[in-house]
């Protein structure tokens, strides 16, 4: 039975043993589509997160996808072009059920303005990465990544945890909403600024944010007290980061860690310029695009200048993957790239071993299935400190949103071993239903993004997009259930290409084969990508795990 969804009553949370499709594989993808909307930011408009990231092109396209998933046989493949189904063709039972190409625009045309025009004509939509690929699991999806960043900073600079430290950030949206909880899990006193009171309220309601301060003075008093007592605390503040950050700097306060996760990547649909309300921005989107872009960029310039100011005074400042430095540099802040990107600064050694955000969703809708898989992880990887520490924390702190799900950073071989064991538990009936596995697009072989994932690669291969395309073809030949090739839309147009994958553990021997091939080859390619760029960790991994790397 689907469960009621108090936040979005029209979008119940899927679950239960009854199938509406002809098999569990099709049913699984249908439930994942329903799930991204049930946990999405604005499901009435099909928006899942990141301002414009959509689950389908429009409602007729959505209905056609649901119909196809419900009626299709296992030996057919549904073809989706930027959120619209365009073909249902006979393939074979080992081929993907769904293949997607989302928002890929030819190089010279891949600009925000062209994207907006194509979107206005109804020819394209942006999948926001996991939104359009039906893989988003709520704010939990990025939370371990954010937590791991905070912990790397804690280890390097603050003796191992962030207790007694002040973290300043902004953005409490679909992804940024993970920050207050990740900060608290790392022990920090974290202040999160968002211009939209509704977003702050939502994060408090779902248990990701503890307090909302009525004004900056109160917020700083609360943070100061928590810092003094070395008490973990998350505080939200409704305001514009382009005003609040410079004001904090003006008062001579230097936080220990500063970042930002507003939708700065999109100057029209994402960032809210100083002095404007969210409604004023909405009213300018169609007719005042140029004015809005200029105003957003001018505010981002002030926002980033304050971040640089904090950096000069000793704060650990980083870009958390929202193009804020790029926008500031385009606005004339020539040293914006003095701020490092989180991938290169903290996580690259993990990606070089293809250790990255792997996730699973309990299609039964039962939280007990995730609890059993948590136990399984602890049994299978007792010596993996990242995993055991994370599962302990996640169990204690992370509330479920939508279909019960978990994310954990696992690498080559580990993902396959876990998924195949879960498939056995599905077969034996120990789990109440099948489990879907996917991963973030921000994964070793899966993303080319020269200002986020692949910035400053050792061999200078930052802008080469062959790797995600190879990954997608490899995954189709490795029997994955859903494969997507995706590029940036809105402000991300022209900045990135990525590949996404989903594989369903339905307890059958076929699923075992699919999980084995798809998950193993996906991470193998990730290790190969980094070996090709010259990372020592990758060569160690190739040697230790017998990965079929061809050295030229
Ligand atoms: P979202 O659109 O759901 O939320 C953005 C939030 O920023 C909104 O709540 C909005 O009110 C707020 N905001 C906008 N302008 C503001 C301003 N001037 N001051 C204060 N608040 C402001 O987006 P999201 O899904 O949370 O993603 C945020 C950004 O992070 C995007 O650029 C996204 O692409 C990026 N992102 C990075 C990673 C990563 O791997 N690090 C992962 C996911 C998303």
């Amino acid at each position: 039975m689907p469960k009621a969804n108090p936040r979005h009553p029209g979008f119940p949370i899927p679950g239960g043993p009854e199938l509406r499709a002809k098999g569990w594989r099709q049913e699984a993808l249908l439930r994942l589509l329903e799930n991204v909307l049930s946990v999405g930011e604005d499901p009435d408009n099909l928006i899942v997160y990141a301002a414009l990231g959509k689950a389908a092109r429009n409602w007729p396209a959505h209905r056609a996808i649901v119909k196809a998933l419900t009626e299709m046989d296992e030996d057919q493949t549904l073809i989706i072009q930027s959120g619209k189904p365009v073909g249902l063709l006979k393939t074979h039972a080992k081929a993907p059920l769904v293949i997607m190409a989302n928002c890929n625009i030819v190089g010279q045309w891949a600009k925000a303005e062209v994207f907006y025009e194509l979107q206005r004509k109804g020819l394209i939509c942006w999948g926001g990465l996991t939104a359009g690929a039906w893989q988003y699991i709520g704010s939990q999806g990025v939370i371990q990544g954010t937590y791991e960043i905070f912990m790397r900073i804690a280890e390097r600079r603050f003796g191992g945890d962030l207790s007694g430290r002040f973290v300043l950030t902004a953005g409490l949206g679909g992804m940024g909403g993970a920050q207050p909880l990740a900060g608290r899990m790392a022990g920090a006193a974290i202040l999160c600024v968002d211009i939209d009171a509704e977003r702050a309220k939502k994060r408090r309601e779902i248990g990701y944010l503890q307090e909302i301060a009525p004004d900056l003075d109160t917020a700083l008093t609360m943070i100061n007290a928590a810092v003094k007592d070395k008490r973990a605390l998350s505080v939200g503040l409704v305001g514009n980061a382009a005003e609040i950050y410079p004001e904090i700097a003006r008062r001579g306060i230097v936080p220990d860690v500063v970042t930002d996760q507003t939708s700065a990547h999109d100057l029209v649909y994402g960032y809210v310029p100083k002095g404007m309300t969210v409604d004023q921005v909405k009213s300018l989107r169609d007719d005042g695009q140029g004015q809005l872009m200029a105003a957003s960029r001018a505010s981002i310039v002030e926002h980033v200048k304050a971040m640089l100011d904090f950096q000069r005074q000793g704060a650990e400042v980083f870009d958390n993957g929202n193009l804020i430095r790029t926008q500031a540099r385009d606005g004339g802040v020539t040293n914006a790239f003095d701020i490092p990107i989180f991938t290169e600064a903290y996580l690259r050694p993990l990606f070089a071993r293809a250790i990255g955000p792997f996730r699973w969703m309990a299609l039964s809708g039962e939280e007990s299935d995730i609890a059993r898989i948590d136990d399984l992880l602890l049994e299978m990887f007792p010596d993996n400190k990242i995993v055991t520490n994370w599962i302990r924390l996640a169990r204690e702190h992370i509330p479920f949103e939508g279909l019960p799900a978990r994310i954990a950073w696992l690498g080559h071989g580990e993902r396959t071993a876990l998924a195949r064991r879960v498939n056995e538990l599905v077969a034996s009936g120990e789990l109440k239903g099948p489990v879907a596995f996917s991963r973030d697009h921000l994964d070793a072989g899966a993303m080319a993004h020269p200002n986020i994932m692949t910035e400053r690669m050792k061999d200078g291969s930052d802008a080469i997009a062959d790797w995600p395309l190879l990954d997608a073809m490899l995954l189709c030949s490795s029997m994955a259930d859903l494969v997507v090739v995706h590029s940036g839309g809105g402000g991300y147009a022209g900045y990135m290409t990525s590949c996404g994958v989903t594989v369903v553990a339905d307890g059958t021997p076929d699923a075992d084969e699919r999980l084995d091939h798809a998950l193993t080859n996906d991470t193998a390619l990730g290790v190969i990508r980094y070996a090709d760029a010259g990372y020592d960790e990758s060569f160690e991994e190739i040697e230790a795990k017998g990965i079929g790397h061809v050295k030229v």
Side-chain angles (χ1 to χ4, degrees):
M1 278 283 286
K3 286 194 193 115
N5 182 359
R7 260 186 45 228
H8 301 300
F11 299 87
I13 300 157
E18 298 84 20
L19 297 188
R20 294 151 300 170
K22 289 186 180 168
W24 258 113
R25 292 173 68 206
Q26 301 92 313
E27 175 74 23
L29 298 182
L30 179 58
R31 289 186 187 198
L32 295 181
L33 168 60
E34 290 168 337
N35 191 49
V36 293
L37 289 173
S38 78
V39 296
E41 293 298 293
D42 178 13
D44 291 322
N45 290 304
L46 292 161
I47 304 279
V48 180
Y49 70 93
L52 277 181
K54 289 177 94 173
R57 180 99 57 94
N58 49 39
W59 282 108
H62 175 273
R63 282 191 288 276
I65 292 170
V66 170
K67 184 170 185 293
L69 289 173
T70 313
E71 293 174 0
M72 70 190 286
D73 291 312
E74 239 199 326
D75 59 359
Q76 289 182 300
T77 297
L78 177 64
I79 302 158
I80 298 189
Q81 180 258 323
S82 289
K84 186 179 87 169
V86 292
L88 181 59
L89 302 181
K90 170 105 170 63
T91 49
H92 54 86
K94 292 190 174 183
L97 280 175
V98 174
I99 56 171
M100 300 176 165
N102 278 342
C103 205
N104 302 287
I105 304 175
V106 172
Q108 292 290 337
W109 283 262
K111 310 263 187 297
E113 292 84 345
V114 177
F115 168 84
Y116 296 137
E117 183 56 16
L118 292 171
Q119 182 183 244
R120 200 187 56 73
K121 289 181 178 160
L123 296 173
I124 206 165
C125 77
W126 180 48
L129 304 175
T130 53
W134 317 333
Q135 295 158 337
Y136 179 70
I137 54 171
S139 298
Q140 184 184 168
V142 283
I143 195 168
Q144 194 189 355
T146 313
Y147 170 79
E148 294 299 338
I149 294 169
F150 287 153
M151 291 313 287
R152 295 292 96 78
I153 294 173
E155 281 158 16
R156 273 192 215 173
R157 291 202 41 183
F158 303 114
D161 75 45
L162 291 182
S163 62
R165 304 290 164 187
F166 171 18
V167 177
L168 172 65
T169 188
L172 287 169
M175 291 294 192
Q179 297 179 103
L181 185 50
R184 191 153 62 88
M185 287 164 87
I190 181 166
L191 176 60
C192 307
V193 182
D194 199 295
I195 188 67
D196 186 346
E198 286 307 310
R199 304 291 191 119
K201 257 172 47 200
K202 174 173 167 181
R203 299 305 154 207
R204 193 174 53 182
E205 268 165 34
I206 61 174
Y208 274 67
L209 175 70
Q210 287 171 295
E211 310 276 353
I212 300 177
D215 52 52
L216 178 60
D217 290 338
T218 316
L220 290 172
T221 306
M222 291 163 87
I223 292 286
N224 277 341
V227 165
K228 212 163 129 246
D229 303 345
K230 296 191 175 252
R231 179 166 42 86
L233 176 72
S234 56
V235 179
L237 174 66
V238 178
N240 196 306
E243 285 169 335
I244 304 283
Y245 280 37
E247 175 57 23
I248 292 175
R250 200 191 58 75
R251 294 184 186 195
I253 299 168
V254 184
D256 297 290
V257 180
V258 180
T259 188
D260 172 72
Q261 228 173 358
T262 58
S263 274
H265 70 273
D266 196 305
L267 302 174
V268 176
Y269 288 86
Y271 197 81
V272 177
K274 207 170 98 167
M276 284 193 199
T277 62
V278 175
D279 285 338
Q280 283 168 333
V281 166
K282 281 186 187 156
S283 71
L284 282 172
R285 278 181 186 153
D286 284 333
D287 299 327
Q289 239 177 52
Q291 181 194 345
L292 205 46
M293 285 175 106
S296 288
R297 202 182 304 280
S299 288
I300 288 175
V301 162
E302 291 181 49
H303 189 159
V304 170
K305 278 186 176 163
M307 291 172 79
L308 285 162
D309 205 7
F310 290 132
Q311 188 186 43
R312 267 190 301 277
Q313 295 186 68
E316 180 80 16
V317 181
F318 65 95
D319 177 319
N320 201 359
N322 63 350
L323 283 196
I324 195 160
R325 298 167 309 163
T326 315
Q327 306 284 19
R329 187 189 53 196
D330 293 349
V333 184
T334 49
N335 62 337
F337 275 68
D338 286 355
I339 298 171
I341 184 73
F342 72 100
T343 42
E344 206 240 340
Y346 314 115
L347 302 179
R348 190 145 294 160
L350 296 179
F351 287 129
R353 293 183 189 277
I355 298 171
F358 185 54
R359 68 184 82 188
W360 48 96
M361 288 74 82
L363 299 166
S364 62
E366 299 291 338
E367 293 180 8
S368 59
D369 282 357
I370 295 298
R372 177 66 189 95
I373 302 173
D374 284 346
D375 289 339
L376 186 61
L377 271 161
L378 298 175
E379 285 159 27
M380 289 178 73
F381 307 109
D383 302 326
N384 183 331
K385 289 257 163 21
I386 294 183
V387 169
T388 52
N389 177 45
W390 174 249
I391 294 300
R392 189 178 52 75
L393 280 169
R395 281 188 142 165
E396 189 184 331
H397 291 283
I398 299 184
F400 290 118
E401 286 176 80
L403 277 178
R406 187 70 86 215
I407 195 152
W409 281 51
L410 294 175
H412 182 72
E414 295 171 336
R415 299 182 187 188
T416 313
L418 176 74
R420 293 182 70 184
R421 185 74 190 100
V422 165
N423 197 46
E424 286 173 7
L425 298 186
V426 175
S428 68
E430 207 178 312
L431 295 178
K432 298 206 172 66
V435 174
F437 289 91
S438 73
R439 54 147 172 78
D440 202 26
H441 291 214
L442 191 106
D443 203 33
M447 182 184 280
H449 192 325
N451 276 176
I452 297 184
M453 183 63 177
T454 47
E455 182 166 321
R456 288 163 38 119
M457 290 293 286
K458 223 171 172 176
D459 63 344
S461 59
D462 306 19
I464 293 182
D466 292 340
W467 296 100
L469 300 180
L470 287 171
D471 198 16
M473 290 188 277
L474 180 64
L475 287 163
C476 287
S477 11
S478 301
M479 303 165 60
D481 285 303
L482 177 147
V483 181
V484 54
V485 177
H486 170 107
S487 290
Y492 277 131
Y495 279 96
M496 58 144 321
T497 296
S498 68
C499 157
V501 59
T502 301
V503 196
V504 181
D506 62 4
T508 60
D510 282 354
D512 185 56
E513 200 182 353
R514 276 194 289 274
L515 293 162
D516 189 11
H517 287 305
L519 300 179
T520 307
N521 288 341
D522 188 38
T523 44
L525 189 74
V527 175
I528 289 170
R529 192 267 176 270
Y530 280 83
D532 196 67
Y535 288 85
D536 294 337
E537 295 91 339
S538 315
F539 288 107
E540 287 167 18
E541 203 69 3
I542 284 168
E543 186 71 22
K545 297 187 174 164
I547 295 171
H549 175 227
V550 178
K551 205 168 174 209
V552 180

